[in-house]
Amino acid sequence: MSRVVVLGIVARAAGSFYEELPLHVVSGLAHLLAWLLIVPGPFMLSGIYAIGQKAVRGIGASWSTVWSGVREFGGRSLLLAVVIVAGYAIVAGNLWFYNTPGLSPFPATVTSLATPLFVLLGLVWTGIAFYAQSFLMELERPGLRAALRNSFYLTAVRPLQTLFLVFVALIALVISLAIPLLLVLLPGFLSTLSLTAVRALVAGAAQESGRGSVDGPEREA
């Protein structure tokens, strides 16, 4: 059942992405150039998510949509990127510490427990990172803590779907690395996939729990 749900999400995301393909090409090139300057990268990524946000709602996007997303969410997107990188650094640092001979003062039994624990935390953090930007832009009262909290909740209540979606994203990344020209389109596809997943999975969770959303109503454009 989880795979069926994920396949439906991927299909809808692919359709929404294709509808805005020309704009994704242009914004993807701008995003790639922005990352060369490092700091502007997350700002431009929020503009790409704004395209996906319109597309998944069946609303036509334009270049003004990109700039609107950058102006409204650019600063918070940059802060979110810093938090995500910091989270991965903590996980990677602990894995390195516990698995470097002569560095860790703990016995092998502790290492055998710590390693899978931090691998699991890394997977959970990847799920949170996959949803976070979408929640940042979809919530009625967008904020960094609310986005991270909702991302954790969705990862926790939909672990299999999240795992499958992350696997799809990884496949898209591998294909893009094999065919570098596709790297221009990768942010657009992943953003549309994340937004579609958030809206679909939150709606499913709301139906099961009887609530309107994970944390308040979704933010409408």
Side-chain angles (χ1 to χ4, degrees), residues 53-54 57 59 137-138 218-221:
Q53 190 177 44
K54 293 281 189 181
R57 295 173 178 176
I59 303 173
M137 300 182 67
E138 284 287 292
E218 294 181 12
R219 180 183 184 280
E220 294 295 335

Side-chain angles (χ1 to χ4, degrees), residues 25-111:
V25 171
V26 177
S27 61
L29 287 170
H31 176 254
L32 186 61
L33 292 174
W35 272 109
L36 296 177
L37 300 176
I38 302 178
V39 173
F43 282 85
M44 195 63 199
L45 184 62
S46 62
I48 292 178
Y49 267 81
I51 299 173
Q53 190 177 44
K54 293 281 189 181
V56 299
R57 295 173 178 176
I59 303 173
S62 64
W63 191 246
S64 63
T65 303
V66 178
W67 293 120
S68 177
V70 170
R71 287 195 303 270
E72 185 172 358
F73 297 101
R76 282 172 285 194
S77 296
L78 177 60
L79 183 58
L80 177 61
V82 172
V83 171
I84 290 173
V85 171
Y88 279 120
I90 292 172
V91 171
N94 278 278
L95 287 172
W96 174 75
F97 174 77
Y98 284 106
N99 290 276
T100 301
L103 181 62
S104 174
F106 300 104
T109 52
V110 175
T111 299

Side-chain angles (χ1 to χ4, degrees), residues 169-186:
L170 181 61
I171 291 175
L173 174 60
V174 171
I175 293 174
S176 298
L177 291 174
I179 309 174
L181 286 176
L182 295 180
L183 288 172
V184 172
L185 299 176
L186 182 64

